[in-house]
Amino acid sequence: MTTARTATPSTARAINDRLALNLLLEQGPLTATELRDLTGLSRPTVADLLDRLQRTGLVAVVGERGEQRRGPNARLYALVASRAHIAAFDVREGGVSLVVADLAGRSLATAEVPVDPSGGSSGASGEDTAGAIVRTLLETARGAGVERLHTVAVGAPGLVDPATGRLHSTGKLPGWHAELLAALRELPGTDVILENEVNLAGRAEYRVGAARDRDTFVLMWLGHSVGAAVILDGRLRRGFSGGTGEICFLPVPGTVGLPSADSCEGGFHGLVGSAAICALARTHGLPADPAADASAAEAVVRAAPAAGAAGEAFLDELAERIALGAAALCVVLDPGCVVLGGEIGRAGGAELAGRVERRLAGFSPLRTEVRAGTAGGGAVLAGAVLTAGDAVRRDLFGEP
């Protein structure tokens, strides 16, 4: 026989505090009356928690609601967003993008640090790349009036081992990636969270993008790199070694050879990577930069709808290629929804998503909606901000 457990007074207070703080975070300033209506808590309980949260510096009075009302019932209470600050990184082969934000996730400052192929930061010849990037972070933060960062979330390509938190490359990534992580972890009083870049983009689509109404979906990231983020029942799935979603290695028909442990060129990447897309465009008579980088592939996909019959044929063949990879995911996971992200998903928009959905319907009996991602070009950064913010709130709000 099991015995029901009753929450202790301290546990009940912590739960009520978290409830109020999350409401202030999501909805902005509220009066005590509004908090009572939204939480269902009693007047004395709300008064007690507001007093307690003000003493901890997490909540402050920021004004009054209504022209005719004055006194305690009119006071507006708000989360003190400056109580803690976070930073987020999108780390690529050619450099980093970073943002400094407050507790509410509002961007305070941004910076870009290009890195040349030899590993030196652009404009900082002879300096250690990782050190230059960290200095840029601290200068950017100080410029926004931030002296201490509570948490930094980093999105990077590669496998992030769930057990150790270490980054393992699935390709030839620059050595400064690991050096940057080590340098960030030396910042005093700052927690560092490392996550695969596509997983962060998946979180952004789940929380603020195309999959806000879904708790199960797959994000297919299509650009210079190819990958997937898997969200099942509201939870990001990483797999045993952090490799869930490494669909660049997926064997598919139509490639030259097969992928190997050292190269994904014979896998799905060989069909829908930026170089493959540019080559496909040229076979249809569409101009595509031989450099075949992500921007070139994005440009040709964006211009295809206006290219007449050649553009239509190109998009149809591209959609079939994407649907091959999507079908493999769907028959295993049955997510019900696939979101196309990355440079190619963004460029193709609803037009490409619709073509992929129609082709996918012919590959399996599983009904799957295909949507264009809406988190935008900053999806990785957006996901990193959300991840860092969640970590800070777990610490400050006492969330489990």
Side-chain angles (χ1 to χ4, degrees):
M1 184 178 71
T2 58
T3 302
R5 295 181 179 180
T6 302
T8 64
S10 61
T11 300
R13 284 194 295 270
I15 292 171
N16 293 339
D17 288 356
R18 289 198 299 270
L19 180 59
L21 286 166
N22 282 318
L23 283 169
L24 292 171
L25 175 68
E26 295 165 4
Q27 302 198 22
L30 297 168
T31 66
T33 300
E34 290 167 338
L35 276 171
R36 289 198 302 271
D37 292 341
L38 290 167
T39 61
L41 299 173
S42 68
R43 182 188 298 267
T45 299
V46 169
D48 179 59
L49 73 82
L50 285 173
D51 179 64
R52 185 166 54 250
L53 293 175
Q54 287 180 89
R55 290 199 306 270
T56 63
L58 284 169
V59 168
V61 177
V62 295
E64 294 183 332
R65 177 92 75 195
E67 296 179 0
Q68 306 301 320
R69 299 179 63 188
R70 293 292 183 267
N73 288 334
R75 290 175 188 161
L76 275 173
Y77 297 89
L79 180 72
V80 179
S82 60
R83 179 68 169 74
H85 294 93
I86 61 177
F89 275 85
D90 181 1
V91 179
R92 302 298 177 96
E93 289 188 44
V96 303
S97 302
L98 66 90
V99 60
V100 175
D102 63 19
L103 179 58
R106 289 188 292 264
S107 174
L108 303 177
T110 61
E112 300 278 342
V113 185
V115 175
D116 65 38
S118 64
S121 57
S122 179
S125 178
E127 290 189 336
D128 170 70
T129 301
I133 294 172
V134 172
R135 283 191 291 275
T136 298
L137 168 65
L138 297 178
E139 290 167 1
T140 302
R142 282 193 291 269
V146 176
E147 293 298 326
R148 177 181 174 272
L149 293 167
H150 183 291
T151 299
V152 176
V154 180
L159 304 181
V160 179
D161 191 315
T164 66
R166 293 179 179 175
L167 179 67
H168 299 284
S169 172
T170 55
K172 296 180 180 180
L173 295 178
W176 62 263
H177 281 202
E179 294 167 4
L180 173 60
L181 291 168
L184 288 171
R185 286 168 175 155
E186 291 177 359
L187 292 174
T190 301
D191 294 328
V192 178
I193 300 171
L194 173 64
E195 182 61 271
N196 172 269
E197 56 177 344
V198 179
N199 284 344
L200 290 179
R203 280 184 170 167
E205 294 291 357
Y206 178 49
R207 297 271 289 273
V208 298
R212 283 174 292 178
D213 61 334
R214 311 285 305 213
D215 64 358
T216 295
F217 75 99
V218 170
L219 167 70
M220 291 184 69
W221 185 265
L222 305 169
H224 182 66
S225 61
V226 177
V230 177
I231 307 285
L232 300 179
D233 299 324
R235 296 183 61 188
L236 175 68
R237 305 294 174 164
R238 296 182 178 85
F240 175 75
S241 61
T244 297
E246 288 294 324
I247 58 173
C248 56
F249 289 93
L250 182 70
V252 291
T255 60
V256 178
L258 290 170
S260 69
D262 301 319
S263 174
C264 61
E265 288 304 320
F268 186 51
H269 178 86
L271 279 187
V272 296
S274 54
I277 289 174
C278 287
L280 176 64
R282 289 192 292 272
T283 66
H284 286 278
L286 302 178
D289 190 338
D293 61 8
S295 59
E298 180 181 357
V300 73
V301 172
R302 196 178 298 280
E312 291 286 317
F314 162 72
L315 288 175
D316 281 341
E317 189 167 350
L318 175 59
E320 177 149 346
R321 291 184 175 193
I322 296 171
L324 281 174
L329 290 167
C330 291
V331 296
V332 174
L333 300 173
D334 189 17
C337 179
V338 171
V339 175
L340 304 184
E343 296 88 353
I344 304 309
R346 186 168 67 250
E351 173 67 24
L352 179 61
R355 291 172 188 258
V356 173
E357 181 175 317
R358 289 190 292 273
R359 192 66 189 93
L360 183 57
F363 285 152
S364 85
L366 305 178
R367 293 179 56 191
T368 306
E369 182 182 4
V370 180
R371 302 176 179 180
T374 59
V380 175
L381 270 182
V385 168
L386 290 167
T387 298
D390 288 347
V392 174
R393 289 188 288 277
R394 281 194 297 271
D395 182 23
L396 298 183
F397 296 5
E399 295 187 354

